[in-house]
Amino acid sequence: MTEATGTTEAVEADRALKTGHRKMWALGDYSAVAAELIPDLGATLVEACGVRSGRRVLDIAAGTGNAAIPAALAGAEVVASDLTPELMDAGRKLAVERGAEVEWREANAEALPFTDGEFDTVMSCLGVMFAPHHQAAADELVRVCGPGGTIGLISWTPEGFVGQMFAAMKPYAPKPPPGAQPPPLWGQEAHVRELLGDRVTDMEARRQTVRIGRFDEPDAFREYFKANYGPTVATYRNIADDAGKVAALDRDLDDLALRHADASGSTALDWEYLLVTARRSA
């Protein structure tokens, strides 16, 4: 095999992988998940990044604009980039409804179409963590941030509820391609420090939780995610022809919710995430 052939095959494999990711996040209704379960997380990140009027901000893997819209409402000039056009279409409608001016750009987090140092703030709320090649994504978010600029991230932790949900789904999901890394690794401080390296200073990382009180019963949580959350929809589709596996995954997700139930038996859930802010080195 020649080097050129290998390169071509690698490019095609990556294109297929990104196409799969795009299709996965278009499944269900992530706009509902963001609006109904975690509506304040984007604003939490915007505040932590100190976004203000006059700043040029890039929201990577912005989804429906959970962070991009609050940043625009704070007066910043905001570009929201995402791999999935369907999510951006929903985000555009939300931005108009809330009176926020946001520029939407389709973009791969691992190969951003922006110049070096173009932004004062580069952030991602539960987005860049799903790019399969972590170092490539980290290199890009650092590259497009100007010297002295702010990098801000919110990612689910491996030990938290959502990280455990991904662990529960893993045996039933399609096998990840070679080189792809688990998204919740971005929720480990040591991993993020290694990814960013000495290209940033003043990095701060703290674990926080968001309270989810929507679900009265474990099966309500499970059915909501089966209908609305792309990765869960895709996992169930992968095993749709095996009733035994479907039932087993139902049980595993119900057990997960029960383990996180409070003393009253309610399935109000505390979802843990890692909030990271850092300065781009001069």
Side-chain angles (χ1 to χ4, degrees):
M1 180 183 296
T2 66
E3 182 176 351
T5 302
T7 299
T8 300
E9 289 183 353
V11 169
E12 290 301 320
D14 186 68
R15 182 178 292 116
L17 174 60
K18 298 305 186 330
T19 298
H21 272 237
R22 184 183 299 115
K23 290 179 178 178
M24 179 184 72
W25 285 107
L27 296 172
D29 187 357
Y30 186 74
S31 180
V33 175
E36 296 170 0
L37 302 186
I38 52 170
D40 298 327
L41 275 192
T44 296
L45 180 59
V46 168
E47 181 179 1
C49 290
V51 173
R52 60 186 183 275
S53 179
R55 305 287 284 183
R56 182 159 168 78
V57 175
L58 174 64
D59 185 6
I60 300 175
T64 57
N66 205 18
I69 292 173
L73 293 174
E77 178 186 347
V78 180
V79 177
S81 68
D82 200 276
L83 192 64
T84 306
E86 292 86 348
L87 297 184
M88 292 192 292
D89 288 344
R92 288 186 182 95
K93 294 178 182 178
L94 290 172
V96 170
E97 291 172 3
R98 296 186 60 184
E101 185 174 343
V102 177
E103 178 186 349
W104 299 86
R105 294 279 301 276
E106 184 174 340
N108 174 3
E110 297 176 5
L112 295 169
F114 307 110
T115 60
D116 295 357
E118 185 172 340
F119 297 93
D120 302 305
T121 300
V122 179
M123 62 183 185
S124 185
C125 182
L126 307 175
V128 76
M129 65 177 291
F130 291 101
H133 306 111
H134 293 189
Q135 191 62 64
D139 291 348
E140 282 295 273
L141 69 90
V142 171
R143 179 184 66 79
V144 299
C145 186
T150 300
I151 293 171
L153 305 166
I154 283 181
S155 308
W156 299 122
T157 66
E159 301 84 4
F161 181 86
V162 178
Q164 291 182 39
M165 181 180 71
F166 275 97
M169 294 192 301
K170 182 178 179 180
Y172 308 95
K175 185 178 180 181
Q181 294 175 279
L185 282 178
W186 280 90
Q188 293 183 327
E189 179 180 349
H191 184 65
V192 180
R193 287 189 180 277
E194 182 178 358
L195 291 174
L196 301 180
D198 61 4
R199 298 172 297 178
V200 302
T201 62
D202 304 321
M203 178 174 152
E204 296 183 3
R206 57 184 184 272
R207 291 182 178 230
Q208 300 181 173
T209 59
V210 56
R211 186 92 166 152
I212 309 297
R214 178 185 176 89
F215 308 112
D216 294 328
E217 300 291 341
D219 61 346
F221 146 75
R222 180 233 307 157
E223 291 303 314
Y224 183 92
F225 270 73
K226 286 174 72 171
N228 294 297
Y229 192 57
T232 308
V233 177
T235 299
Y236 272 97
R237 287 191 177 186
N238 186 58
I239 58 173
D241 294 334
D242 190 325
K245 287 185 178 180
V246 170
L249 180 53
D250 282 349
R251 289 192 299 271
D252 288 348
L253 293 180
D254 288 352
D255 288 346
L256 174 65
L258 285 171
R259 290 200 304 272
H260 285 77
D262 64 22
S264 69
S266 167
T267 52
L269 307 169
D270 290 318
W271 292 3
E272 185 183 63
Y273 61 89
L274 184 73
L275 172 62
V276 172
T277 57
R279 297 289 178 190
R280 176 71 163 93
S281 300

